[in-house]
Amino acid sequence: MAGNEPTYDDLLARTDAPPGSSWGLWPGREVLGCLNRITPERRTRAASLVQTGEVYALDLDPELPDPPLFGRARMQREVTWLGEVGHDEILSNYNTQSSTQWDGFRHIRSREHGFHGGVADEDHGIHHWTEHGIVTRGVLADVTRVRSINPGESDAIDADDVAKALDAQGVAVERGDILLIRTGWTAWYRALDQNGREEAAGKQVSCGLRAGRSTVRFLWDLGIAAVAGDQPALEVFPPGTGAEETDDIESRFMHFQLLPRLGMPIGELFDLDALADACAADGRYDFMFTSAPLRLRNGVASPPNALAIR
């Protein structure tokens, strides 16, 4: 389908599937959604971007944020002895969405239409994404360099803000890319003391993309394989803050549009600060992107184990 997929406006006009959905575009491979846009040629293209061999890990410490956001469970760690020779380690109470994460297609369903592609809940799962891993070209849009953002408030970021960042950086998004959007949230969070972190967890307010058709249209028509950001929910929180007016309540929370309808994976709480500094230093905002999610059968979400290789 590369290069000749319908536009988002075409999808909105569908009568053979839920309006605004990509259902049926990838027959038999709906469990991958937009990851189907990553081809062997896209992986080869990504590898050609490696110039210096610098590697940037994009996952936060899995015990951050602390306390976890949105009332999620705090991971428990126990280091045990193996007699006198060494250790094992036990992780328990681990919510795969309490730190850096991919939201899988089981995370959100449309109340009217169900899970992405009409696939049964129990047939989706993060394990499908591990077939080839996620290896493609990554592009960073560092919105903080073109617009003042208040990370700890409901500061809604428009598609135009992302487009302006890409234009200012002189980089174009290509079909099958992973788009990484930096808002400065993780840098802001790192600067908080423990009281500030507890307040942030209780407040549940953050910057993010503005929900609505304009943003969803922008993301779909770019032809990306997935979108990720450094903020807690990708989109502005609480849900619907500043959203475009519509009679469709699901369009006021963008997760409903991206996951069950379009099959576009969402990444949250990616650590993009060091990568952004490196990109600004030499003006290269594209790189090889790799992600090895947990091979967790029917998994709802996963830490991405993501790297940017320059």
Side-chain angles (χ1 to χ4, degrees):
M1 297 294 298
N4 62 351
E5 292 172 1
T7 66
Y8 185 64
D9 286 337
D10 292 334
L11 296 182
L12 286 174
R14 295 186 73 173
T15 58
D16 62 332
S21 82
S22 66
W23 294 21
L25 292 190
W26 301 290
R29 294 180 65 81
E30 292 89 349
V31 292
L32 296 178
C34 292
L35 296 176
N36 281 292
R37 290 167 161 168
I38 301 175
T39 63
E41 292 77 17
R42 298 305 303 158
R43 299 185 189 103
T44 302
R45 165 82 166 107
S48 73
L49 298 172
V50 178
Q51 296 183 20
T52 63
E54 303 163 79
V55 178
Y56 294 88
L58 305 182
D59 288 41
L60 292 170
D61 177 331
E63 294 179 282
L64 289 177
D66 180 29
L69 307 179
F70 309 121
R72 287 177 169 140
R74 179 185 273 110
M75 183 177 72
Q76 305 297 317
R77 296 177 63 189
E78 180 184 1
V79 177
T80 62
W81 275 99
L82 294 173
E84 298 179 351
V85 299
H87 298 288
D88 272 359
E89 186 171 25
I90 300 169
L91 304 182
S92 59
N93 213 35
Y94 180 33
N95 186 321
T96 53
Q97 292 174 282
S98 63
S99 186
T100 309
Q101 70 201 252
W102 284 124
D103 284 348
F105 298 145
R106 297 191 71 193
H107 178 48
I108 295 288
R109 68 177 179 89
S110 167
R111 287 167 291 188
E112 180 179 358
H113 304 291
F115 291 94
H116 174 63
V119 175
D121 179 9
E122 61 273 14
D123 291 332
H124 272 299
I126 286 289
H127 70 283
H128 294 296
W129 301 4
T130 67
E131 179 182 359
H132 301 294
I134 302 173
V135 180
T136 190
R137 178 176 179 256
V139 173
L140 176 69
D142 191 352
V143 183
T144 67
R145 297 183 188 272
V146 297
R147 178 195 188 284
S148 177
I149 297 173
N150 191 337
E153 299 298 333
S154 298
D155 193 346
I157 297 165
D158 293 316
D160 283 350
D161 296 324
V162 180
K164 287 175 183 176
L166 294 169
D167 288 345
Q169 296 165 183
V171 63
V173 174
E174 300 173 3
R175 187 169 299 275
D177 287 351
I178 304 290
L179 176 62
L180 305 178
I181 300 172
R182 180 172 180 256
T183 68
W185 190 92
T186 53
W188 169 82
Y189 184 82
R190 284 188 173 103
L192 298 176
D193 60 18
Q194 190 57 35
N195 287 337
R197 295 181 179 191
E198 290 174 1
E199 181 181 353
K203 192 176 179 183
Q204 298 187 13
V205 171
S206 72
C207 66
L209 297 181
R210 187 186 306 277
R213 287 181 175 177
S214 295
T215 304
V216 177
R217 179 183 293 107
F218 172 76
L219 295 174
W220 173 264
D221 288 348
L222 284 175
I224 56 178
V227 59
D230 60 350
Q231 66 277 58
L234 183 68
E235 58 191 293
V236 67
F237 220 81
T241 302
E244 296 173 6
E245 290 299 324
T246 175
D247 293 333
D248 179 7
I249 191 170
E250 287 195 356
S251 70
R252 295 182 62 79
F253 185 42
M254 199 163 55
H255 278 55
F256 284 115
Q257 308 304 309
L258 298 185
L259 291 172
R261 297 207 186 195
L262 293 179
M264 184 176 290
I266 294 173
E268 297 165 345
L269 292 171
F270 274 53
D271 187 1
L272 304 178
D273 297 331
L275 173 63
D277 288 342
C279 291
D282 64 10
R284 291 189 296 123
Y285 284 85
D286 60 348
F287 38 84
M288 185 177 184
F289 176 94
T290 72
S291 172
L294 294 177
R295 198 161 192 159
L296 184 63
R297 182 160 296 280
N298 304 118
V300 172
S302 174
N305 300 308
L307 302 174
I309 308 168
R310 307 178 77 245

